[in-house]
Amino acid sequence: MFEKVLIANRGEIALRIHRACREMGIQTVAVHSTADSDAMHVRLADETVCIGPPASRDSYLNGQAILSAATIAGVDAIHPGVGFLSENAAFAEMVEEHGYVFIGPTPDHIRLMGDKIAAKEAVRELGLSVVPGSDGPVDNDDDARRIAEEIGYPVLVKAASGGGGKGMKVADTAETLPAVLAHCRGEALASFGDDAVYIEKFLAQPRHIEVQILGDGFGKVIHFGERDCSIQRRHQKVIEEAPSPALDQKTRAAIGARVTEAVGRLKYRGAGTVEFLFEDGDFHFIEMNTRIQVEHPVSEMISGVDLIREQIRISAGEPLLLEQSDISLSGHAIECRVVAEHPETFAPSPGRITDYHAPGGLGVRVDSALYSGYTVPPHYDSLVSKLIVHADTRDECVMRLRRALDEYVIGGIETTIPLHQRLVLEQDFLDGDYDIHWLETKLGL
Ligand code: MV4
């Protein structure tokens, strides 16, 4: 096992990784920007290295600086966390070339899944169903029109290097298709330096359902059921839950088996998430994320498995001892992403935390790097806390969530706690009756 791990991240996820390391007897090295000298991830780590000025591109995205820190501290491995360099194949390669272990998948698997067209093609060949559309990039208006005619309008034009909604637009008719193609190409080139686009059948009201997996790199893959992440706004997830209220046990087992079979054939190593759009009882693969995700705690709560610990163990070359039959999912878990934004206008609200009291009690988990007196810097993602609750049933889980939200005090800045308090009273939420457009359309947010 590793003796020392560098955590190339900040905030709650850096704490989460530190906690797993501590419980495994692994020393931790925190890296931080000059804006994060007083951050909790820096306070808790065994060693710290300042890697640059506040801007992410000069610090948390600076691979060279992070590798220098790894050398200074003499670590065995680097955990990239989420965001930042976590899905950067070139960084993963650099880490390995310098003789450190990258706690994540192989650079080849990161690269494959980063190319949305190649990823779709690969998983289709591995036996997962994908959204009907062009098999590959579309180069000209004539091909586009022929494919759109085949699958039927409306169609969605997507950037090959996209994800997160950038470079994506609906064409309702053949008349608008050329303009939509041109628009997406332009946006894709500007955002990703790559103007390749592809076409899919537009699914009007799907749910976003994703399957959590762990692979050993030798073909063994186990899954931890699914998370429903449909409650989102502008491609930012707001609430996630496991299991999905839309699936029954048979459907869950079936999609889990299909995913583990497919990803196993890839010989995937590490933690991963396979994302689907779920509509009218059918799953359509959209993307695979080759990292641990922000919302992993809901899967941990229903499975009882420490996913970060398993991720580290796999990277250290230890065999994956868990079998699928060891994974029993019990109860229900819901996560609220609390962000430092105004609960109605969503205006950013960084600043000094004057009061802090986190909820507790049975089935309540708070993953946060906040403390009283801490100043939330303006330079990074606005996520400041994840409130995760677990209970035997979904109804009990919602009651517990309401109770925990009512206890939570974060003073001095605006947060979205009041928004969450409102959402957990909505009848549609109580009924589990929502899709990816619910928050924006039905609640007008
Ligand atoms: C779609 C879709 C409808 N039909 N694909 C948005 C980001 C990217 N990861 C995939 N996305 C979508 N792809 C087809 N064929 C609707 C979305 C989408 C979405 C997906 C998941 C979660 C939130 C979303 C919000 C808007 C659109």
Side-chain angles (χ1 to χ4, degrees):
M1 183 44 65
F2 307 130
E3 281 179 20
K4 208 191 262 192
V5 167
L6 183 147
I7 302 165
N9 218 294
R10 64 181 303 285
E12 57 80 22
I13 197 70
L15 254 70
R16 173 68 191 85
I17 297 161
H18 167 84
R19 286 168 173 155
C21 288
R22 258 303 155 83
E23 292 177 11
M24 298 172 81
I26 300 170
Q27 299 278 104
T28 61
V29 179
V31 293
H32 67 92
S33 71
T34 52
D36 275 344
S37 300
D38 295 326
M40 188 55 93
H41 81 278
V42 177
R43 292 191 173 194
L44 289 185
D46 295 300
E47 293 172 48
T48 70
V49 183
C50 182
I51 50 167
S56 297
R57 95 187 78 83
D58 300 322
S59 49
Y60 299 104
L61 285 171
N62 184 344
Q64 296 292 353
I66 290 165
L67 283 165
S68 298
T71 306
I72 291 165
V75 302
D76 303 303
I78 298 179
H79 197 306
V82 306
F84 295 129
L85 296 167
S86 62
E87 291 181 290
N88 185 316
F91 176 69
E93 242 156 28
M94 263 188 354
V95 168
E96 291 182 352
E97 280 161 13
H98 282 73
Y100 308 114
V101 172
F102 178 79
I103 302 178
T106 63
D108 285 346
H109 282 152
I110 298 174
R111 200 168 278 121
L112 172 68
M113 296 306 171
D115 178 338
K116 305 305 164 192
I117 294 178
K120 199 177 165 186
E121 174 72 19
V123 304
R124 195 166 57 88
E125 281 172 8
L126 291 166
L128 291 182
S129 43
V130 300
V131 190
S134 58
D135 300 325
V138 285
D139 307 317
N140 59 73
D141 289 0
D142 288 343
D143 285 354
R145 196 171 280 128
R146 190 177 44 74
I147 292 155
E149 222 59 68
E150 243 170 64
I151 59 180
Y153 289 93
V155 298
L156 190 60
V157 181
K158 292 182 171 182
S161 305
K166 263 240 176 90
M168 203 176 87
K169 199 171 161 71
V170 180
D172 289 307
T173 64
E175 284 65 52
T176 58
L177 185 57
V180 168
L181 278 165
H183 171 94
C184 288
R185 274 191 209 294
E187 207 170 287
L189 189 63
S191 305
F192 316 111
D194 169 16
D195 75 348
V197 297
Y198 62 108
I199 294 183
E200 281 184 352
K201 172 93 193 143
F202 175 64
L203 304 177
Q205 289 177 317
R207 300 176 80 110
H208 173 133
I209 293 181
E210 56 185 34
V211 178
Q212 173 71 54
I213 59 104
L214 278 179
D216 72 350
F218 300 99
K220 179 172 166 185
V221 174
I222 55 173
H223 74 86
F224 296 80
E226 81 288 356
R227 297 184 285 261
D228 197 317
C229 309
S230 303
I231 301 184
Q232 58 88 38
R233 181 181 173 274
R234 300 191 180 178
H235 302 290
Q236 298 295 314
K237 293 167 184 168
V238 175
I239 294 179
E240 303 100 340
E241 61 179 311
S244 168
L247 302 192
D248 59 24
Q249 189 46 47
K250 200 167 146 244
T251 313
R252 172 167 307 114
I255 190 63
R258 280 164 62 197
V259 166
T260 53
E261 162 76 20
V263 181
R265 285 171 60 192
L266 262 186
K267 296 197 167 32
Y268 186 82
R269 180 189 76 206
T273 299
V274 183
E275 293 188 354
F276 296 92
L277 295 179
F278 180 72
E279 192 177 69
D280 301 329
D282 293 322
F283 289 96
H284 307 273
F285 169 90
I286 43 170
E287 283 170 31
M288 178 168 180
N289 300 318
T290 53
R291 59 166 197 277
I292 195 77
Q293 291 192 237
V294 170
E295 60 271 27
H296 76 276
V298 292
S299 302
E300 292 186 324
M301 299 306 274
I302 64 165
S303 68
V305 174
D306 180 334
L307 291 171
I308 308 272
R309 180 193 188 100
E310 293 307 319
Q311 202 188 12
I312 294 169
R313 292 187 69 256
I314 291 165
S315 296
E318 297 196 7
L320 181 52
L321 295 176
L322 291 167
E323 302 291 336
Q324 190 62 53
S325 55
D326 296 326
I327 309 303
S328 70
L329 306 178
S330 77
H332 200 93
I334 304 178
E335 172 177 282
C336 289
R337 290 196 191 192
V338 177
V339 298
E341 293 175 14
H342 189 283
E344 281 150 27
T345 64
F346 299 96
S349 181
R352 188 166 177 276
I353 307 294
T354 53
D355 298 286
Y356 188 75
H357 181 265
L362 184 65
V364 177
R365 166 176 173 181
V366 177
D367 279 18
S368 173
L370 292 184
Y371 60 87
S372 189
Y374 173 65
T375 298
V376 178
H379 314 283
Y380 311 106
D381 189 282
S382 61
L383 181 71
V384 289
S385 180
K386 303 188 303 203
L387 170 60
I388 307 110
V389 297
H390 179 248
D392 288 342
T393 66
R394 189 171 186 274
D395 287 348
E396 289 171 286
C397 193
V398 172
M399 292 304 283
R400 183 163 285 164
L401 179 55
R402 287 184 189 163
R403 185 274 286 174
L405 284 165
D406 290 346
E407 281 180 34
Y408 209 165
V409 178
I410 303 178
I413 61 168
E414 299 280 1
T415 76
T416 48
I417 290 172
L419 168 69
H420 284 110
Q421 287 176 306
R422 184 186 149 201
L423 295 181
V424 297
L425 293 172
E426 288 290 331
Q427 191 59 47
D428 286 345
F429 178 71
L430 302 183
D431 295 340
D433 182 15
Y434 55 79
D435 60 42
I436 61 171
H437 303 296
W438 180 74
L439 202 54
E440 287 166 293
T441 309
K442 278 204 91 176
L443 290 197
L445 292 173

